[in-house]
């Protein structure tokens, strides 16, 4: 608006002055980026003010915006952002519930990939599931930055840190769980199982169930010591005699998830 006001004051209304306003507004939008994206509002406001060449109108718009900025500065810390701890915790709970249902279903029916048109849709939904922890991590960083300016939610920083630890656990386990579920979805036929893998179709069974309980408990904010100990006991027993490469791969991924659960517990529950 200031750009258009200056143009109307010093330049006659013409195509040339409009080009100057558009060019200057575009350059200003590049400087005032929001999350790396040029602010289109700068250019739109400049053109809007230029398109209404009424005496006093540009100055009035500038004054209105200054009043709006003052109101936002005074009331923004009281009204924004919404409680980030509640929002992120709710999204993490939704991810945990989806993950729990997925692991239960694949544990009961390993090797049964969806068929037909629904296969692509199911794969897309699973891909979206593994993106959720990374989205939560990104929004957690934004919430921490916004919390510095919040008067009403500043005291929730400790609670946000607790939720942040669980989000970090979800991020660290997303990649191995993605690999695990892909292996469990794969049909256990000759193309997926080599010679000597006769037990691959049995799936990881009790170990998967124990690791799932430990992970879901940890993502809920509870101490996963008991299910971790049970999973370790099952893992030390080893697989059935003659288990093949496919089941060994599944067990290896589950033990990797278990190691990350151990790291999480030692960092946040040891000594409590």
């Amino acid at each position: 608006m200031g750009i258009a006001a200056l143009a109307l004051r010093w330049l006659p209304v013409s195509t040339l002055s409009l080009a100057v306003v558009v060019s200057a507004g575009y350059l200003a939008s590049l400087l005032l980026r929001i999350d790396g994206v040029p602010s289109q509002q700068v250019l739109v406001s400049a053109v809007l003010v230029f398109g209404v060449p009424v005496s006093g109108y540009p100055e009035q718009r500038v004054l209105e915006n200054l009043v709006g900025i003052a109101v936002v500065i005074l009331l923004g810390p009281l009204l924004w952002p919404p409680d980030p701890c509640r929002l992120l915790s709710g999204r993490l709970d939704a991810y945990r519930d989806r993950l729990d249902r997925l692991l239960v279903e694949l544990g009961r029916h390993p090797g049964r990939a969806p068929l037909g048109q629904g296969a692509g849709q199911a794969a897309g939904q699973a891909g979206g599931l593994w993106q959720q922890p990374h989205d939560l991590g990104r929004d957690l960083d934004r919430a921490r930055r916004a919390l510095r300016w919040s008067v009403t939610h500043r005291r929730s920083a400790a609670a946000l840190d607790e939720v942040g630890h669980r989000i970090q656990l979800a991020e660290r386990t997303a990649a191995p769980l993605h690999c695990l579920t892909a292996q469990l979805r794969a049909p256990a036929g000759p193309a997926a199982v080599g010679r000597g893998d006769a037990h691959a179709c049995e799936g990881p069974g009790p170990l998967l169930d124990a690791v799932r309980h430990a992970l879901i408990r940890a993502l809920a904010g509870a101490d996963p010591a008991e299910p971790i100990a049970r999973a370790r006991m099952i893992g030390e027993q080893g697989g059935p005699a003659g288990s093949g490469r496919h089941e060994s791969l599944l067990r290896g991924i589950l033990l990797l998830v278990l190691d990350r659960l151990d790291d999480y517990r030692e960092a946040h529950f040891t000594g409590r």
Side-chain angles (χ1 to χ4, degrees), residues 162 166 169 210 213-230 261-272:
E162 191 276 332
R166 291 188 279 144
L169 174 64
H213 277 294
L215 179 60
I216 298 305
R217 184 174 176 82
L219 291 177
D223 188 348
E226 182 180 348
I228 285 178
R230 184 167 65 252
L261 276 166
D262 263 331
D263 293 340
Y264 167 79
R265 183 184 179 278
E266 290 175 3
H268 305 296
F269 287 96
T270 301
R272 287 192 178 186

Side-chain angles (χ1 to χ4, degrees), residues 12-23:
V13 178
S14 64
T15 304
L16 177 60
S17 57
L18 176 60
V20 171
V21 169
V22 171
S23 300

Side-chain angles (χ1 to χ4, degrees), residues 34 64 119 130 203 248:
I34 301 176
E64 290 174 354
W130 307 123
S248 298

Side-chain angles (χ1 to χ4, degrees), residues 188-201 242-248:
V193 183
R195 293 181 179 179
D197 287 357
H199 297 274
C201 60
S243 61
R245 292 188 301 273
H246 189 256
E247 184 169 345
S248 298

